[in-house]
Amino acid sequence: MVGLMLPPYVLSRAIDEGLVPGRMPVLLGWVAVLFGVGVANAWLAVMRHRTMTRIRMDATFRTVRAIVAHTLRLGAALPRKVTAGEVVTIGIGDVAVISQTLTMTGPGVGGVLAYGVVAVLLLTVSPLLAGVVLLGVPLLALLVGPLLGRLQGAESRYRERQSGLAARLTDLVGGLRVLNGLGGKDVFADRHRREARELRDEGYRVGAVTSWVQALGVGLPTLFLAAVTWLAARMAAQGAITVGELVAVYGYAAALVVPVSFFIEGGYDLTRGLVAARRVVRLLRLEPDTADGSGSAAGNGSGDAAGSRAGDAAGSVVGDVPEAAAVLRDPASGVEVVPGLLTALATARPGESAAVVDRLGRFADSAATWGAVRLDEIPLPQVRDRILVADNEADLFAGTLREVVSGRRDRTEEAIGRAVRTALAEDIVRGLPDGLDSAVEAQGGNLSGGQRQRLRLVRALLADPEVLLAVEPTSAVDAHTEAGIAARLHDARAGRTTVVTSTSPLLLDRADRVYFLVDGRAAAVGSHRQLLAEQPGYRRLVARGEDEDGTDESGTGESDTGESDTGESSEDVTGTTDGADPRPETPVTKEDA
């Protein structure tokens, strides 16, 4: 910015000391100096652009890194505290605005320094012209100020609407299949179109204010330049200043157009940056649900071994870790999970059994114990190493089928084969063109609901935790597939602690112990057949339209999602594994998977 003020000064000296007196050597000397100043300014402009670009990119990467790290720390609490649309808008739009705002610092400081240099140079020419310039520049900023305040309010409203619409679109796309089945797709599409039109109108209002700010950023400095030039020309005509000084005043005023424009544009950027920064800070202020601040979160569960629960950091509380298998107790419900058994939780409200799993898996604050130790007194990484919560809505990331089920560690073909067979997923591998090397879309978009659920089970089995807590692992498959999974799961997890939530009689019949929950509390415990005989409420809960011989009266083999998903293989679906150890060779943690 200061460099821009030098050419008018050199040019005025060349005119007054060389051109007007006719001293050619002096004129050529000043011309050489002017050329050198031009080259220096060109080099400075290149370096300034590189520096500003580096600042923008550095700010972008560091802000994104902070946001991603914090979202991982929030874990499963994130979806309940902020919408997906809000995260997308912050990560794409607000980060870029903040980065752009940071680049106003260099030109802003440079503009202030250039303003001071021009003030000194003009005082040597004419105090009147110096006063006009020094008072005129702040006046320009004052004229734009009210528009910047209005722009900030309009920008805030627009950003909030944009986040809401992005969240609505995310939900709409994610639930498109369900909405289509319920006949509600058109209703939600119309609502989205209406909200999109409202957002467009809000954008027009923001654009109107922005256009005035940008127009004044160019127009006001130009008018200011014309006024200063007119005044200097009159003074030159009256002999108050020389021709060279007239040229210098014009050059100073013209050069000041650049920093003045930067001031106005910087105010515009700062207004938008404050809006964006407040939204980012609001996200960064969100805290995980658990008291230990470890990054784990309470909730109904939205991830499993490779799902959204990953990312928990080490807890701050340290206790004695059970060295051997120990009983998991949930005092809130009265559920006790005995090591080495397959325990089932049955309730009319799935959320109640999921809440028990959250407490036993330490995804909710509770007084749950593991052996003689409270779960919240055990270092969180050790809990995650040994207890895995497998949710039936956990994320499936894009990649090959092998990568989807294996996680971050390579698995042997034998280990994958055992887990696939246990989850009765052989038909999925055979049905894809390249088997385990076939591509799977994000969230399993190219798979049916039942296929996605079975792949989640394969992934959980490959993780081979000491304690597996599975939420509704067979709710999206047909009865034939469910019977096979129930039999194979019991055999594959023999000697390992397993908890499932379900009301399916096929799965409950294979459980070693069944807890019948009423209003979130254990009303009865026993085998499936024992509870059928002794508990009328349990009998009504698990009947689900079956006749006395156990056949499905509906006669359909459709899954709970309305999709036919038979996991039938060429092998006996009710048979056991081939006798090989169904566990992978190396124990892995929940984050590993």
Side-chain angles (χ1 to χ4, degrees):
M1 291 296 178
V2 175
L4 293 178
M5 308 304 159
L6 296 181
Y9 173 79
V10 174
L11 188 60
S12 68
R13 297 294 297 273
I15 292 174
D16 287 343
E17 297 179 9
L19 184 62
V20 173
R23 300 162 60 186
M24 188 59 62
V26 176
L27 177 62
L28 292 177
W30 281 113
V31 168
V33 172
L34 184 62
F35 178 78
V37 170
V39 172
N41 279 340
W43 180 81
L44 287 173
V46 172
M47 299 310 295
R48 181 193 67 84
H49 179 73
R50 290 184 179 181
T51 303
M52 295 298 102
T53 302
R54 182 173 182 177
I55 289 174
R56 278 194 299 270
M57 299 306 295
D58 178 68
T60 297
F61 290 139
R62 288 193 295 118
T63 308
V64 168
R65 188 161 60 242
I67 292 173
V68 171
H70 190 66
T71 56
L72 292 176
R73 178 172 173 261
L74 289 172
L78 179 66
R80 295 190 306 280
K81 294 177 178 289
V82 63
T83 65
E86 178 85 356
V87 176
V88 170
T89 304
I90 289 174
I92 296 177
D94 292 332
V95 169
V97 171
I98 292 174
S99 303
Q100 180 66 34
T101 303
L102 292 182
T103 61
M104 65 176 283
T105 306
V109 173
V112 172
L113 294 176
Y115 182 73
V117 170
V118 168
V120 173
L121 293 174
L122 283 176
L123 283 174
T124 63
V125 175
S126 168
L128 175 62
L129 289 174
V132 171
V133 173
L134 295 180
L135 294 177
V137 172
L139 180 62
L140 298 181
L142 291 176
L143 291 176
V144 182
L147 283 176
L148 294 179
R150 181 180 174 187
L151 177 63
Q152 184 171 354
E155 186 82 18
S156 297
R157 291 190 298 272
Y158 178 77
R159 288 287 182 182
E160 294 299 331
R161 281 181 174 269
Q162 188 180 41
S163 296
L165 187 63
R168 182 65 56 84
L169 181 60
T170 302
D171 294 340
L172 181 63
V173 173
L176 191 60
R177 182 178 299 183
V178 176
L179 288 174
N180 195 36
L182 297 175
K185 183 172 65 174
D186 292 337
V187 175
F188 278 83
D190 289 340
R191 182 181 300 176
H192 182 270
R193 279 192 290 268
R194 183 174 65 254
E195 293 181 355
R197 286 193 294 268
E198 294 174 355
L199 178 65
R200 179 196 61 193
D201 295 339
E202 189 71 36
Y204 285 155
R205 286 189 284 272
V206 174
V209 180
T210 302
S211 65
W212 276 106
V213 172
Q214 293 177 342
L216 291 175
V218 176
L220 287 179
T222 303
L223 293 176
F224 177 68
L225 172 63
V228 172
T229 303
W230 176 81
L231 179 60
R234 286 183 59 86
M235 295 178 67
Q238 296 170 358
I241 60 176
T242 66
V243 175
E245 290 174 332
L246 169 63
V247 173
V249 170
Y250 173 81
Y252 296 149
L256 274 180
V257 169
V258 177
V260 170
S261 298
F262 267 118
F263 285 146
I264 295 177
E265 292 179 6
Y268 167 64
D269 288 339
L270 180 61
T271 299
R272 298 174 67 233
L274 288 173
V275 174
R278 289 191 186 104
R279 290 162 54 82
V280 172
V281 170
R282 188 169 60 196
L283 173 66
L284 295 178
R285 282 178 175 169
L286 298 178
E287 289 293 335
D289 289 342
T290 53
D292 63 3
S294 59
S296 62
N300 57 6
S302 59
D304 64 3
S308 60
R309 292 185 188 270
D312 297 315
S316 57
V317 207
V318 178
D320 296 327
V321 183
E323 295 182 0
V327 176
L328 270 173
R329 294 183 179 87
D330 175 35
S333 64
V335 171
E336 293 188 358
V337 180
V338 179
L341 299 183
L342 174 58
T343 303
L345 308 180
T347 176
R349 300 189 184 102
E352 294 176 355
S353 57
V356 175
V357 168
D358 275 333
R359 293 193 291 268
L360 293 176
R362 196 176 159 187
F363 286 107
D365 292 327
S366 72
T369 60
W370 195 6
V373 187
R374 281 178 58 118
L375 268 179
D376 54 13
E377 294 177 353
I378 301 175
L380 190 59
Q382 298 191 38
V383 176
R384 297 289 175 258
D385 284 345
R386 300 170 63 182
I387 301 177
L388 183 146
V389 176
D391 195 297
N392 65 344
E393 295 181 356
D395 291 335
L396 291 175
F397 302 106
T400 65
L401 182 59
R402 187 190 308 276
E403 294 170 341
V404 169
V405 298
S406 297
R408 70 180 184 182
R409 289 191 179 180
D410 293 334
R411 312 290 182 177
T412 64
E413 294 288 335
E414 293 77 12
I416 296 177
R418 287 193 297 268
V420 166
R421 186 174 185 277
T422 300
L424 217 70
E426 299 99 322
D427 64 304
I428 303 177
V429 178
R430 289 195 305 265
L432 293 173
D434 299 316
L436 289 173
D437 296 320
S438 300
V440 175
E441 297 177 2
Q443 303 299 342
N446 56 336
L447 303 173
S448 70
Q451 289 174 329
R452 291 193 295 270
Q453 187 172 56
R454 283 182 284 154
L455 288 186
R456 293 185 182 106
L457 182 57
V458 171
R459 185 171 60 184
L461 291 170
L462 275 174
D464 190 37
E466 178 182 329
V467 179
L468 173 60
L469 309 176
V471 179
E472 300 288 345
T474 59
S475 61
V477 299
D478 59 66
H480 183 65
T481 304
E482 188 173 38
I485 292 176
R488 296 181 182 186
L489 178 63
H490 185 277
D491 293 334
R493 292 286 299 174
R496 310 284 276 174
T497 306
T498 308
V499 177
V500 296
T501 70
S502 179
T503 56
S504 166
L506 297 171
L507 192 56
L508 295 171
D509 190 42
R510 289 285 180 169
D512 299 307
R513 302 181 76 193
V514 178
Y515 277 91
F516 175 40
L517 304 180
V518 178
D519 295 329
R521 295 282 305 174
V525 60
S527 68
H528 171 62
R529 297 182 185 276
Q530 181 183 354
L531 294 179
L532 281 177
E534 299 175 359
Q535 297 291 327
Y538 179 81
R539 189 163 53 247
R540 288 192 297 271
L541 174 65
V542 304
R544 297 202 308 175
E546 287 189 342
D547 58 20
E548 293 181 356
D549 62 3
T551 59
D552 185 358
E553 291 180 352
S554 66
T556 64
E558 293 183 346
S559 67
D560 294 347
T561 60
E563 301 167 0
S564 178
D565 187 74
T566 59
E568 186 176 357
S569 71
S570 59
E571 306 169 61
D572 178 14
V573 295
T574 60
T576 60
T577 57
D578 55 8
D581 183 2
R583 301 186 294 276
E585 297 173 359
T586 304
V588 294
T589 67
K590 181 176 180 181
E591 284 103 340
D592 290 337

